[in-house]
Every structure is written in C-alpha cells, then in structure tokens.
C-alpha cells in the first residue's frame, strides 16, 4: 500500500488543518506540508520550504524541484480521492515556468480536472507564500490509475 495514500487518508479522516508529510524522502527534503484537501472537488494545497540543496547558481529554485512540487500536488489531488488498493503514476507532465522562484516557502495547489477508470487529468499552480498568489509556475499532467500489490483483485 502507498504510504502517501495512508498519510492523505489520515489527514482527511482526522480533519487536520495542516500536517507535515514524511512518507517519502523527497517530501521530507522539500519540507512538504498538507494544508487542505477538498476530496469532493479533487483539490489539495501543499506548502513547501525547499532546503538550500535545491537552490541553483542564480539563487533561485532549481526547475526540477519546482516540477516535483507541482507533480506532488497533482498526484496527491488524485490520490486523495482513490479507494484503498489504488494509486496513481504520472504518465505525462508539462510545466510552464513563469518567473524565477527565489528561496522561500511555496504553496502548490493541485486540482483534478477529470478522473476516469484508468486515467486522471490534472493541473496545478505554484506560488510563493505571502505574494498574493503570484504564480511562478503552472503544470498539467496525465496520471495513470493503478492497482497496488496489496489489493490485486480490484
């Protein structure tokens, strides 16, 4: 079973207002927190404060870190709506970098546009916290819905 799914379900069940996500090394390195989930809308807000190792030579976040933040938001928006025994995997990811992302705390909002039996279509935006949602990057992705090994009969 996907440990990220387990953390998402606990967050939903307990009605938390914010929680640190440490279910995988990348989310820990990005200092990721779940801020809010709206399962009915298929939307999630995650905040991040990447460590210095994600800052490139020009003093801004490296594009791969920005991409990872957006990818997490989109995957988690879908994963929060999936039943036990299902997960998702990114099949395609398109990023638009709109402006430099200086070191700081960021919020990624992921939304599920459409989810079928095998695929989900998503979008996300990333902005620096406290900047009135001045977006630094946007993304769209296609996620494949997959069965986990713990429940192969579904």
């Amino acid at each position: 079973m996907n440990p990220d799914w387990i953390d998402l379900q606990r967050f939903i069940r307990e009605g938390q207002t914010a929680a640190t996500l440490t279910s995988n090394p990348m989310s820990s390195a990005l200092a990721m927190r779940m801020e809010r989930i709206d399962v009915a809308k298929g939307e999630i807000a995650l905040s991040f404060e990447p460590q210095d190792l994600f800052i490139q030579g020009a003093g801004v976040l490296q594009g791969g870190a920005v991409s990872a933040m957006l990818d997490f938001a989109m995957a988690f928006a879908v994963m929060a709506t999936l039943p036990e025994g299902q997960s998702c995997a990114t099949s395609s990811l398109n990023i638009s970098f709109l402006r430099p992302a200086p070191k700081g705390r960021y919020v990624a909002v992921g939304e599920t546009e459409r989810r079928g039996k095998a695929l989900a279509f998503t979008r996300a935006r990333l902005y620096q916290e406290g900047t009135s949602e001045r977006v630094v990057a946007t993304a769209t992705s296609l996620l494949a819905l997959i069965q986990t090994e713990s429940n192969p009969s579904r």
Side-chain angles (χ1 to χ4, degrees), residues 2 20-21 28 34 44 46 52 56 67 79 87 92-93 141:
N2 187 326
T20 301
L21 188 81
S28 294
M34 288 184 280
I44 192 167
L46 304 170
D52 287 344
Q56 50 102 314
S67 299
M79 201 178 315
S87 192
S92 69
L93 177 64
S141 72

Side-chain angles (χ1 to χ4, degrees), residues 82-103:
L82 296 176
E84 184 175 353
Q86 269 197 330
S87 192
C88 59
T90 303
S91 295
S92 69
L93 177 64
N94 298 294
I95 308 287
S96 294
F97 299 96
L98 306 175
R99 57 184 45 88
K103 184 178 178 179

